[in-house]
Amino acid sequence: FLTARLGVIRDLFMFGVYTGYAFKDIMNLTPKHIFKKEDGRDYNVKKRIKTHNSVAQPCEEPILPPVRRLIEKYSEDPKCI
């Protein structure tokens, strides 16, 4: 891309594609949302409110390799920390 900003937008979009998270959910993620489960894999664990349910439900998503790469890519970015 011609600007770094467009690359970030692309990465946010791809993160949403792989996780199913809305933009708002992505922007509210922090390192505390990542847990290692009994199976040895890392998961995003976050409470989300679905359209027809006003109560936040826990949502566990395995961290797929493309998502892991995006997390690592932005792990030192001051705006993302």
Coordinates of all heavy atoms in Angstrom, one line a residue:
F1 N 0.8 -1.2 0.0 CA 0.0 0.0 0.0 C 0.9 1.2 0.0 O 2.0 1.2 0.4 CB -0.9 0.0 1.2 CG -2.0 -1.0 1.1 CD1 -1.9 -2.2 1.9 CD2 -3.1 -0.9 0.3 CE1 -2.9 -3.2 1.8 CE2 -4.1 -1.8 0.2 CZ -4.0 -3.0 0.9
L2 N 0.3 2.3 -0.5 CA 1.0 3.6 -0.5 C 1.3 4.2 0.8 O 2.3 4.9 1.0 CB 0.3 4.6 -1.4 CG 0.2 4.2 -2.9 CD1 -0.7 5.2 -3.6 CD2 1.5 4.0 -3.5
T3 N 0.4 3.9 1.8 CA 0.6 4.4 3.2 C 0.5 3.3 4.2 O -0.1 2.3 4.0 CB -0.5 5.5 3.5 OG1 -1.8 4.8 3.6 CG2 -0.5 6.6 2.5
A4 N 1.2 3.5 5.3 CA 1.2 2.5 6.4 C -0.2 2.4 6.9 O -0.6 1.3 7.3 CB 2.2 2.9 7.5
R5 N -1.0 3.5 6.9 CA -2.4 3.4 7.5 C -3.2 2.4 6.7 O -4.0 1.7 7.4 CB -3.0 4.8 7.4 CG -4.4 5.0 7.9 CD -4.9 6.4 7.7 NE -5.0 6.8 6.4 CZ -6.0 6.5 5.5 NH1 -7.0 5.8 6.0 NH2 -6.0 7.0 4.3
L6 N -3.1 2.3 5.4 CA -3.9 1.4 4.7 C -3.5 -0.1 5.0 O -4.3 -1.0 5.0 CB -3.7 1.6 3.2 CG -4.4 3.0 2.7 CD1 -4.1 3.1 1.2 CD2 -5.9 3.0 3.0
G7 N -2.2 -0.3 5.3 CA -1.8 -1.6 5.7 C -2.4 -2.0 7.0 O -2.8 -3.2 7.2
V8 N -2.5 -1.0 7.9 CA -3.1 -1.3 9.2 C -4.6 -1.6 9.1 O -5.1 -2.6 9.7 CB -2.9 -0.1 10.2 CG1 -3.7 -0.3 11.5 CG2 -1.5 0.1 10.5
I9 N -5.3 -0.9 8.2 CA -6.7 -1.1 7.9 C -6.9 -2.5 7.4 O -7.8 -3.3 7.8 CB -7.3 0.0 7.0 CG1 -7.3 1.3 7.7 CG2 -8.6 -0.4 6.5 CD1 -7.6 2.5 6.9
R10 N -6.0 -2.9 6.4 CA -6.1 -4.3 5.8 C -5.9 -5.3 6.9 O -6.6 -6.3 7.0 CB -5.0 -4.4 4.8 CG -5.0 -5.9 4.2 CD -3.6 -6.3 3.7 NE -2.6 -6.1 4.7 CZ -1.4 -5.6 4.4 NH1 -1.0 -5.2 3.2 NH2 -0.5 -5.4 5.4
D11 N -4.9 -5.1 7.8 CA -4.6 -6.1 8.9 C -5.8 -6.2 9.9 O -6.2 -7.3 10.3 CB -3.4 -5.7 9.6 CG -2.1 -5.9 8.8 OD1 -2.2 -6.6 7.7 OD2 -1.1 -5.4 9.1
L12 N -6.5 -5.0 10.2 CA -7.6 -5.1 11.1 C -8.8 -5.9 10.4 O -9.4 -6.7 11.0 CB -8.1 -3.7 11.4 CG -7.3 -2.9 12.4 CD1 -7.7 -1.4 12.4 CD2 -7.3 -3.5 13.7
F13 N -8.9 -5.6 9.1 CA -10.0 -6.4 8.4 C -9.7 -7.9 8.4 O -10.6 -8.7 8.7 CB -10.1 -5.9 6.9 CG -11.0 -6.7 6.1 CD1 -12.4 -6.5 6.2 CD2 -10.5 -7.6 5.2 CE1 -13.2 -7.3 5.4 CE2 -11.4 -8.4 4.4 CZ -12.7 -8.2 4.5
M14 N -8.4 -8.3 8.1 CA -8.1 -9.7 8.1 C -8.2 -10.3 9.5 O -8.6 -11.4 9.6 CB -6.7 -9.9 7.5 CG -6.5 -9.5 6.1 SD -7.8 -10.3 5.0 CE -7.4 -12.0 5.3
F15 N -7.9 -9.5 10.5 CA -8.0 -10.0 11.9 C -9.5 -10.4 12.1 O -9.9 -11.4 12.7 CB -7.6 -9.0 12.9 CG -7.4 -9.5 14.3 CD1 -6.2 -10.0 14.8 CD2 -8.5 -9.6 15.2 CE1 -6.0 -10.5 16.0 CE2 -8.4 -10.1 16.5 CZ -7.1 -10.5 16.9
G16 N -10.4 -9.5 11.7 CA -11.8 -9.7 11.8 C -12.3 -10.9 11.0 O -13.2 -11.6 11.4
V17 N -11.7 -11.1 9.8 CA -12.1 -12.2 9.0 C -11.8 -13.5 9.7 O -12.6 -14.5 9.7 CB -11.4 -12.2 7.6 CG1 -11.5 -13.5 6.9 CG2 -11.9 -11.0 6.8
Y18 N -10.6 -13.6 10.3 CA -10.2 -14.9 10.9 C -10.8 -15.1 12.3 O -10.9 -16.3 12.7 CB -8.6 -14.9 11.0 CG -8.0 -15.2 9.7 CD1 -7.3 -14.3 9.0 CD2 -8.0 -16.5 9.2 CE1 -6.6 -14.6 7.8 CE2 -7.4 -16.8 8.0 CZ -6.7 -15.9 7.3 OH -6.1 -16.2 6.2
T19 N -11.2 -14.1 13.0 CA -11.8 -14.2 14.3 C -13.3 -14.1 14.4 O -13.9 -14.6 15.3 CB -11.2 -13.2 15.3 OG1 -11.5 -11.9 14.9 CG2 -9.7 -13.4 15.4
G20 N -13.9 -13.4 13.4 CA -15.3 -13.1 13.4 C -15.6 -12.0 14.3 O -16.8 -11.7 14.6
Y21 N -14.6 -11.3 14.8 CA -14.8 -10.1 15.7 C -15.2 -8.9 14.9 O -14.6 -8.6 13.8 CB -13.6 -9.8 16.5 CG -13.3 -10.8 17.6 CD1 -12.1 -10.7 18.4 CD2 -14.1 -11.9 17.9 CE1 -11.8 -11.6 19.4 CE2 -13.8 -12.8 18.9 CZ -12.7 -12.6 19.6 OH -12.4 -13.5 20.6
A22 N -16.1 -8.1 15.5 CA -16.4 -6.8 14.9 C -15.2 -5.8 15.2 O -14.4 -6.1 16.1 CB -17.7 -6.2 15.5
F23 N -15.2 -4.7 14.5 CA -14.1 -3.7 14.7 C -14.0 -3.3 16.1 O -13.0 -3.2 16.7 CB -14.4 -2.5 13.7 CG -13.3 -1.4 13.9 CD1 -12.1 -1.6 13.3 CD2 -13.7 -0.3 14.6 CE1 -11.1 -0.6 13.5 CE2 -12.7 0.7 14.8 CZ -11.4 0.6 14.2
K24 N -15.2 -3.0 16.7 CA -15.2 -2.6 18.1 C -14.6 -3.6 19.1 O -13.8 -3.3 20.0 CB -16.6 -2.3 18.6 CG -16.8 -1.8 20.0 CD -18.2 -1.5 20.3 CE -18.3 -1.0 21.7 NZ -19.7 -0.7 22.1
D25 N -14.9 -4.9 18.8 CA -14.3 -6.0 19.6 C -12.8 -6.1 19.4 O -12.0 -6.3 20.4 CB -14.9 -7.3 19.3 CG -16.4 -7.4 19.6 OD1 -16.8 -6.9 20.7 OD2 -17.2 -8.0 18.9
I26 N -12.3 -5.9 18.2 CA -10.9 -5.9 17.9 C -10.2 -4.8 18.7 O -9.1 -5.0 19.3 CB -10.6 -5.8 16.4 CG1 -11.2 -7.1 15.7 CG2 -9.1 -5.7 16.1 CD1 -11.2 -6.9 14.2
M27 N -10.8 -3.6 18.6 CA -10.1 -2.5 19.2 C -10.1 -2.6 20.8 O -9.3 -1.9 21.4 CB -10.8 -1.2 18.8 CG -10.8 -0.9 17.3 SD -9.1 -1.0 16.6 CE -8.3 0.4 17.3
N28 N -10.9 -3.4 21.3 CA -11.0 -3.6 22.8 C -10.1 -4.8 23.3 O -10.1 -5.0 24.5 CB -12.4 -3.7 23.3 CG -13.1 -2.4 23.2 OD1 -12.6 -1.3 23.4 ND2 -14.4 -2.4 22.8
L29 N -9.5 -5.5 22.4 CA -8.7 -6.6 22.8 C -7.4 -6.2 23.5 O -6.8 -5.2 23.1 CB -8.3 -7.5 21.6 CG -9.4 -8.4 21.0 CD1 -8.9 -9.0 19.8 CD2 -9.9 -9.4 22.0
T30 N -7.0 -6.9 24.5 CA -5.8 -6.7 25.2 C -5.1 -8.0 25.4 O -5.7 -9.1 25.2 CB -6.0 -6.0 26.6 OG1 -6.7 -7.0 27.4 CG2 -6.8 -4.7 26.5
P31 N -3.8 -8.0 25.8 CA -3.1 -9.3 26.1 C -3.8 -10.1 27.1 O -3.6 -11.4 27.1 CB -1.7 -8.8 26.5 CG -1.5 -7.5 25.9 CD -2.9 -6.9 25.9
K32 N -4.6 -9.5 28.0 CA -5.2 -10.3 29.1 C -6.3 -11.2 28.5 O -6.8 -12.1 29.2 CB -5.8 -9.4 30.1 CG -7.0 -8.6 29.7 CD -7.6 -7.8 30.8 CE -8.8 -7.1 30.3 NZ -9.5 -6.4 31.3
H33 N -6.7 -11.0 27.2 CA -7.7 -11.8 26.6 C -7.1 -13.1 26.0 O -7.9 -13.9 25.5 CB -8.4 -11.0 25.5 CG -9.3 -9.9 26.0 ND1 -8.9 -8.6 25.9 CD2 -10.4 -10.0 26.8 CE1 -9.8 -7.9 26.5 NE2 -10.7 -8.7 27.0
I34 N -5.8 -13.3 26.0 CA -5.2 -14.5 25.4 C -4.9 -15.5 26.6 O -4.2 -15.2 27.5 CB -3.9 -14.1 24.6 CG1 -4.3 -13.2 23.5 CG2 -3.3 -15.4 24.1 CD1 -3.2 -12.7 22.7
F35 N -5.4 -16.7 26.4 CA -5.1 -17.7 27.4 C -4.7 -19.0 26.7 O -5.1 -19.3 25.6 CB -6.4 -18.1 28.2 CG -6.9 -17.0 29.1 CD1 -7.8 -16.0 28.6 CD2 -6.4 -16.9 30.4 CE1 -8.3 -15.0 29.4 CE2 -6.9 -15.9 31.2 CZ -7.8 -14.9 30.7
K36 N -3.8 -19.7 27.4 CA -3.4 -21.1 27.0 C -4.3 -22.1 27.6 O -4.5 -22.1 28.8 CB -1.9 -21.3 27.3 CG -1.4 -22.6 26.7 CD 0.1 -22.8 26.9 CE 0.9 -21.8 26.0 NZ 0.9 -22.0 24.6
K37 N -4.9 -22.9 26.8 CA -5.9 -23.9 27.3 C -5.2 -25.2 27.6 O -4.0 -25.4 27.3 CB -7.0 -24.1 26.3 CG -7.8 -22.8 26.0 CD -8.7 -22.4 27.1 CE -9.9 -23.2 27.0 NZ -11.1 -22.8 27.8
E38 N -6.0 -26.2 28.1 CA -5.4 -27.5 28.4 C -4.8 -28.2 27.2 O -3.9 -29.0 27.3 CB -6.5 -28.5 29.0 CG -7.4 -27.9 30.1 CD -8.5 -27.0 29.6 OE1 -9.2 -27.4 28.6 OE2 -8.6 -26.0 30.1
D39 N -5.3 -27.9 26.0 CA -4.8 -28.6 24.8 C -3.5 -28.0 24.3 O -2.9 -28.4 23.3 CB -5.9 -28.5 23.7 CG -6.2 -27.1 23.2 OD1 -5.6 -26.1 23.7 OD2 -7.1 -27.0 22.4
G40 N -3.0 -26.9 25.0 CA -1.7 -26.3 24.7 C -1.8 -25.2 23.7 O -0.8 -24.5 23.4
R41 N -3.0 -24.9 23.2 CA -3.2 -23.9 22.2 C -3.6 -22.6 22.9 O -4.2 -22.6 23.9 CB -4.3 -24.3 21.2 CG -3.8 -25.5 20.4 CD -4.9 -26.0 19.4 NE -5.3 -24.9 18.5 CZ -6.4 -25.0 17.7 NH1 -7.1 -26.1 17.7 NH2 -6.6 -24.1 16.8
D42 N -3.3 -21.5 22.2 CA -3.7 -20.2 22.7 C -5.1 -19.8 22.2 O -5.4 -20.2 21.0 CB -2.7 -19.1 22.3 CG -1.4 -19.1 23.0 OD1 -1.4 -19.7 24.1 OD2 -0.4 -18.6 22.5
Y43 N -5.9 -19.2 23.0 CA -7.2 -18.8 22.6 C -7.5 -17.3 23.0 O -6.9 -16.8 24.0 CB -8.3 -19.6 23.4 CG -8.4 -21.0 22.9 CD1 -7.5 -22.0 23.3 CD2 -9.5 -21.4 22.1 CE1 -7.6 -23.3 22.8 CE2 -9.6 -22.7 21.6 CZ -8.7 -23.6 22.0 OH -8.8 -24.9 21.5
N44 N -8.3 -16.6 22.2 CA -8.8 -15.3 22.6 C -10.1 -15.7 23.4 O -10.9 -16.4 22.9 CB -9.3 -14.5 21.4 CG -8.1 -13.8 20.7 OD1 -7.1 -13.5 21.3 ND2 -8.2 -13.6 19.4
V45 N -10.1 -15.1 24.6 CA -11.3 -15.4 25.4 C -11.9 -14.0 25.8 O -11.2 -13.2 26.5 CB -11.0 -16.2 26.7 CG1 -12.2 -16.4 27.6 CG2 -10.4 -17.5 26.3
K46 N -13.0 -13.7 25.3 CA -13.6 -12.4 25.5 C -15.1 -12.5 25.6 O -15.7 -13.4 25.0 CB -13.3 -11.5 24.3 CG -13.7 -10.1 24.4 CD -13.0 -9.3 23.2 CE -13.2 -7.8 23.3 NZ -14.2 -7.3 24.1
K47 N -15.7 -11.6 26.4 CA -17.2 -11.6 26.4 C -17.7 -10.7 25.3 O -17.2 -9.6 25.1 CB -17.7 -11.1 27.8 CG -17.4 -12.1 28.9 CD -18.0 -11.7 30.2 CE -17.8 -12.8 31.2 NZ -18.5 -12.6 32.4
R48 N -18.7 -11.2 24.6 CA -19.3 -10.4 23.5 C -20.8 -10.4 23.7 O -21.4 -11.4 24.1 CB -19.0 -11.1 22.2 CG -17.5 -11.1 21.9 CD -17.1 -11.8 20.6 NE -17.7 -11.0 19.5 CZ -17.8 -11.6 18.3 NH1 -17.4 -12.8 18.1 NH2 -18.3 -10.9 17.3
I49 N -21.4 -9.3 23.2 CA -22.9 -9.2 23.2 C -23.3 -9.5 21.8 O -22.9 -8.8 20.8 CB -23.3 -7.8 23.7 CG1 -23.0 -7.6 25.1 CG2 -24.9 -7.7 23.5 CD1 -23.3 -6.3 25.7
K50 N -24.2 -10.5 21.6 CA -24.7 -10.8 20.3 C -26.0 -10.0 20.0 O -26.6 -9.4 20.9 CB -25.0 -12.3 20.2 CG -23.7 -13.2 20.3 CD -22.9 -12.9 19.1 CE -21.7 -13.9 19.1 NZ -21.0 -13.9 17.9
T51 N -26.4 -10.0 18.8 CA -27.6 -9.2 18.4 C -28.8 -9.4 19.2 O -29.4 -8.4 19.7 CB -27.9 -9.4 16.9 OG1 -26.7 -9.2 16.2 CG2 -29.0 -8.5 16.4
H52 N -29.2 -10.6 19.4 CA -30.5 -10.9 20.1 C -30.3 -11.3 21.6 O -31.2 -11.9 22.1 CB -31.2 -12.0 19.4 CG -31.6 -11.7 17.9 ND1 -32.5 -10.7 17.6 CD2 -31.1 -12.1 16.8 CE1 -32.5 -10.6 16.3 NE2 -31.7 -11.4 15.8
N53 N -29.2 -10.9 22.2 CA -29.0 -11.3 23.5 C -28.3 -10.1 24.2 O -27.2 -9.7 23.8 CB -28.1 -12.5 23.6 CG -28.0 -13.1 25.0 OD1 -28.4 -12.5 26.0 ND2 -27.3 -14.2 25.2
S54 N -28.9 -9.6 25.2 CA -28.4 -8.4 25.9 C -27.3 -8.7 27.0 O -26.7 -7.8 27.5 CB -29.5 -7.5 26.5 OG -30.2 -8.3 27.5
V55 N -27.1 -10.0 27.2 CA -26.1 -10.4 28.2 C -24.9 -10.8 27.5 O -24.9 -11.6 26.6 CB -26.7 -11.6 29.1 CG1 -25.7 -12.1 30.1 CG2 -28.0 -11.2 29.7
A56 N -23.7 -10.3 28.0 CA -22.4 -10.7 27.4 C -22.2 -12.2 27.6 O -22.3 -12.7 28.7 CB -21.3 -9.8 28.0
Q57 N -21.8 -12.8 26.6 CA -21.5 -14.3 26.6 C -20.0 -14.5 26.4 O -19.4 -13.8 25.5 CB -22.3 -15.0 25.5 CG -23.8 -14.9 25.6 CD -24.3 -15.6 26.8 OE1 -23.9 -16.7 27.1 NE2 -25.2 -15.0 27.5
P58 N -19.4 -15.4 27.1 CA -17.9 -15.7 26.9 C -17.8 -16.3 25.5 O -18.6 -17.1 25.1 CB -17.5 -16.6 28.0 CG -18.8 -17.1 28.5 CD -19.9 -16.2 28.2
C59 N -16.8 -15.9 24.8 CA -16.5 -16.4 23.4 C -15.0 -16.8 23.4 O -14.1 -16.0 23.7 CB -16.7 -15.3 22.4 SG -16.4 -15.7 20.8
E60 N -14.8 -18.1 23.1 CA -13.4 -18.6 23.0 C -13.1 -18.9 21.5 O -13.8 -19.7 20.9 CB -13.3 -19.9 23.8 CG -13.4 -19.6 25.3 CD -13.2 -20.9 26.1 OE1 -12.9 -22.0 25.5 OE2 -13.4 -20.9 27.3
E61 N -12.1 -18.2 21.0 CA -11.7 -18.4 19.6 C -10.2 -18.9 19.6 O -9.3 -18.3 20.2 CB -11.7 -17.1 18.9 CG -13.1 -16.5 18.8 CD -14.0 -17.2 17.8 OE1 -13.4 -17.9 16.9 OE2 -15.2 -17.1 17.9
P62 N -9.9 -20.0 19.0 CA -8.5 -20.4 18.9 C -7.7 -19.4 18.1 O -8.3 -18.8 17.1 CB -8.5 -21.8 18.2 CG -9.8 -21.8 17.5 CD -10.8 -20.9 18.3
I63 N -6.5 -19.1 18.4 CA -5.7 -18.2 17.7 C -5.0 -19.0 16.5 O -4.1 -19.8 16.7 CB -4.6 -17.5 18.6 CG1 -5.4 -16.7 19.7 CG2 -3.7 -16.6 17.8 CD1 -4.5 -16.1 20.7
L64 N -5.5 -18.7 15.4 CA -5.0 -19.3 14.1 C -3.7 -18.7 13.7 O -3.4 -17.6 14.1 CB -6.0 -19.2 13.0 CG -7.4 -19.8 13.3 CD1 -8.4 -19.4 12.2 CD2 -7.3 -21.3 13.5
P65 N -2.9 -19.4 13.0 CA -1.6 -18.9 12.6 C -1.6 -17.5 11.9 O -0.8 -16.6 12.3 CB -1.0 -19.9 11.6 CG -1.6 -21.2 12.1 CD -3.0 -20.8 12.5
P66 N -2.6 -17.1 11.1 CA -2.6 -15.8 10.5 C -2.9 -14.7 11.6 O -2.3 -13.6 11.6 CB -3.7 -15.8 9.5 CG -3.9 -17.2 9.1 CD -3.5 -18.0 10.4
V67 N -3.7 -15.1 12.6 CA -4.0 -14.2 13.7 C -2.8 -14.0 14.6 O -2.4 -12.9 15.0 CB -5.2 -14.7 14.5 CG1 -5.5 -13.8 15.7 CG2 -6.5 -14.7 13.6
R68 N -2.1 -15.1 14.8 CA -0.8 -15.1 15.6 C 0.2 -14.1 15.0 O 0.8 -13.3 15.6 CB -0.3 -16.5 15.8 CG 1.1 -16.6 16.3 CD 1.3 -16.1 17.7 NE 0.5 -16.9 18.6 CZ 0.1 -16.4 19.8 NH1 0.4 -15.2 20.2 NH2 -0.7 -17.2 20.6
R69 N 0.3 -14.2 13.6 CA 1.3 -13.3 12.9 C 0.9 -11.9 13.1 O 1.7 -11.0 13.3 CB 1.4 -13.7 11.5 CG 2.2 -15.0 11.2 CD 2.5 -15.2 9.8 NE 1.3 -15.5 9.0 CZ 0.7 -16.7 8.8 NH1 1.2 -17.8 9.4 NH2 -0.3 -16.8 8.0
L70 N -0.4 -11.6 13.0 CA -0.9 -10.2 13.2 C -0.6 -9.7 14.6 O -0.2 -8.6 14.8 CB -2.3 -10.0 12.8 CG -2.6 -10.2 11.3 CD1 -4.1 -10.3 11.1 CD2 -2.0 -9.0 10.6
I71 N -0.9 -10.5 15.6 CA -0.6 -10.2 17.0 C 0.9 -9.9 17.2 O 1.2 -8.9 17.8 CB -1.1 -11.3 17.9 CG1 -2.6 -11.4 17.9 CG2 -0.6 -11.1 19.4 CD1 -3.2 -12.6 18.7
E72 N 1.7 -10.7 16.7 CA 3.2 -10.5 16.8 C 3.6 -9.3 16.0 O 4.5 -8.5 16.5 CB 3.9 -11.8 16.3 CG 3.7 -13.0 17.2 CD 4.3 -14.2 16.6 OE1 4.8 -14.2 15.5 OE2 4.2 -15.3 17.3
K73 N 3.0 -9.0 14.9 CA 3.4 -7.9 14.1 C 3.2 -6.6 14.8 O 4.0 -5.6 14.8 CB 2.6 -7.9 12.8 CG 2.9 -6.7 11.9 CD 2.1 -6.8 10.6 CE 2.3 -5.6 9.7 NZ 1.6 -5.8 8.4
Y74 N 2.1 -6.5 15.6 CA 1.7 -5.3 16.3 C 2.0 -5.3 17.8 O 1.6 -4.4 18.5 CB 0.3 -4.9 16.0 CG 0.0 -4.6 14.6 CD1 -0.5 -5.5 13.7 CD2 0.3 -3.3 14.1 CE1 -0.7 -5.1 12.4 CE2 0.1 -2.9 12.8 CZ -0.4 -3.9 11.9 OH -0.6 -3.5 10.6
S75 N 2.7 -6.3 18.3 CA 3.0 -6.5 19.7 C 3.8 -5.3 20.3 O 3.7 -5.0 21.5 CB 3.6 -7.8 20.0 OG 4.9 -7.9 19.4
E76 N 4.6 -4.7 19.5 CA 5.5 -3.6 20.0 C 5.0 -2.2 19.5 O 5.6 -1.2 19.8 CB 6.9 -3.8 19.5 CG 7.6 -5.1 20.0 CD 7.7 -5.2 21.5 OE1 8.0 -4.2 22.1 OE2 7.5 -6.3 22.0
D77 N 3.9 -2.2 18.8 CA 3.4 -0.9 18.3 C 2.7 -0.1 19.4 O 1.8 -0.6 20.1 CB 2.3 -1.2 17.2 CG 1.9 0.0 16.5 OD1 1.5 1.0 17.2 OD2 1.9 0.1 15.3
P78 N 3.2 1.1 19.7 CA 2.7 1.9 20.8 C 1.2 2.1 20.8 O 0.5 2.1 21.8 CB 3.4 3.2 20.7 CG 4.6 3.0 19.8 CD 4.2 1.8 19.0
K79 N 0.6 2.2 19.6 CA -0.8 2.4 19.5 C -1.6 1.2 19.8 O -2.8 1.2 20.2 CB -1.2 2.9 18.1 CG -0.7 4.3 17.8 CD -1.1 4.7 16.4 CE -0.6 6.1 16.1 NZ -1.0 6.5 14.7
C80 N -1.0 0.0 19.6 CA -1.7 -1.2 19.9 C -1.5 -1.8 21.3 O -2.3 -2.6 21.7 CB -1.2 -2.3 18.8 SG -1.6 -1.8 17.2
I81 N -0.5 -1.4 21.9 CA -0.2 -1.9 23.3 C -1.3 -1.4 24.2 O -1.9 -2.0 25.0 CB 1.2 -1.5 23.7 CG1 2.2 -2.2 22.9 CG2 1.4 -1.9 25.2 CD1 3.6 -1.8 23.1

